[in-house]
Amino acid sequence: AQSVTQLGSHVSVSEGALVLLRCNYSSSVPPYLFWYVQYPNQGLQLLLKYTSAATLVKGINGFEAEFKKSETSFHLTKPSAHMSDAAEYFCAVSAGGTSYGKLTFGQGTILTVHP
Amino acid sequence: GAGVSQSPRYKVAKRGQDVALRCDPISGHVSLFWYQQALGQGPEFLTYFQNEAQLDKSGLPSDRFFAERPEGSVSTLKIQRTQQEDSAVYLCASSPRDRSEKLFFGSGTQLSVL
């Protein structure tokens, strides 16, 4: 069984500040981990993924995440927030193999960016 | 090219009505997934197709939910005798091949059951 916990349903930062969105996972098998972003009235878009290669993963729009097995974490960061980063972010886990697309999502974190 | 298209964008149903939600995946995509997203929650897996074969339907919440993809392209999610708890956004996603970890999501169908 797999699960994802996103700490903080709402995060607010100032433009130019560090963005840190927290994700912890539970998995009985080596996990595949993902971050998706959802803008209003749009579909989920893949930001980045970890699939057992490098533990520091770089994604689109300047985001990156680090897989830490010892902490069962996959936190999402961006050094400097832009207004356009305001959206809802979802962390997700899958078991890989034949279950690649069967994702278990967290509850989401809404990111607000203040000017 | 066109992304994943879902229709209708919004659907209002009276309790007890049957509804059908349509998903047009990206052309040539082998795998297709349905997810249900309740208000304030993350999406939850419903079912998965590889071409026309439904390989996993473990997430369908009851036998009122039925999905099909008869020709391996367009898919329809049908909900019979809708209940208020069925109100949610239904998301469709496709991927270009089996075992592809990148899913392309549609914008969803928002179903409201009154």
Side-chain angles (χ1 to χ4, degrees):
Chain A
Q2 299 176 302
S3 66
V4 171
T5 301
Q6 291 183 239
L7 300 177
S9 58
H10 290 81
V11 170
S12 181
V13 300
S14 298
E15 192 173 18
L18 171 71
V19 175
L20 171 60
L21 305 182
R22 299 177 187 274
C23 172
N24 288 88
Y25 70 90
S26 172
S27 179
S28 56
V29 298
Y32 291 77
L33 294 159
F34 308 83
W35 276 98
Y36 279 84
V37 60
Q38 187 173 35
Y39 298 101
N41 299 315
Q42 294 187 27
L44 290 156
Q45 179 183 0
L46 181 67
L47 271 179
L48 49 79
K49 61 187 180 188
Y50 166 78
T51 56
S52 75
T55 57
L56 182 62
V57 181
K58 295 187 183 297
I60 62 172
N61 301 337
F63 284 94
E64 63 181 37
E66 186 172 7
F67 172 68
K68 292 187 176 180
K69 183 178 179 180
S70 60
E71 298 178 7
T72 61
S73 70
F74 191 58
H75 302 330
L76 181 70
T77 60
K78 182 174 180 178
S80 177
H82 294 167
M83 297 295 290
S84 60
D85 294 328
E88 188 163 19
Y89 292 80
F90 291 93
C91 181
V93 63
S94 82
T98 56
S99 301
Y100 264 98
K102 186 175 179 179
L103 301 176
T104 299
F105 285 88
Q107 292 193 323
T109 298
I110 296 173
L111 176 66
T112 303
V113 182
H114 296 288
Chain B
V4 177
S5 177
Q6 292 188 244
S7 60
R9 183 70 181 90
Y10 302 94
K11 176 68 179 178
V12 178
K14 292 182 179 179
R15 190 168 47 187
Q17 282 185 332
D18 297 348
V19 298
L21 313 179
R22 177 186 171 104
C23 173
D24 283 89
I26 294 172
S27 178
H29 277 199
V30 168
S31 300
L32 185 144
F33 303 82
W34 284 99
Y35 284 80
Q36 179 190 58
Q37 186 175 16
L39 187 64
Q41 303 294 316
E44 293 190 355
F45 171 83
L46 293 178
T47 187
Y48 158 55
F49 290 85
Q50 181 182 332
N51 296 306
E52 70 277 4
Q54 189 174 20
L55 298 186
D56 188 337
K57 54 182 181 179
S58 61
L60 295 177
S62 77
D63 58 7
R64 296 186 295 104
F65 286 71
F66 172 76
E68 60 184 6
R69 193 186 186 199
E71 298 179 357
S73 56
V74 171
S75 178
T76 304
L77 177 67
K78 298 179 179 178
I79 309 173
Q80 298 177 325
R81 304 180 304 281
T82 52
Q83 304 294 316
Q84 282 189 319
E85 61 263 29
D86 300 334
S87 295
V89 175
Y90 291 85
L91 300 171
C92 177
S94 67
S95 68
R97 55 185 170 84
D98 186 30
R99 304 194 181 196
S100 169
E101 62 271 15
K102 182 170 183 178
L103 301 187
F104 295 81
F105 281 84
S107 299
T109 293
Q110 184 171 330
L111 173 65
S112 299
V113 181
L114 306 178

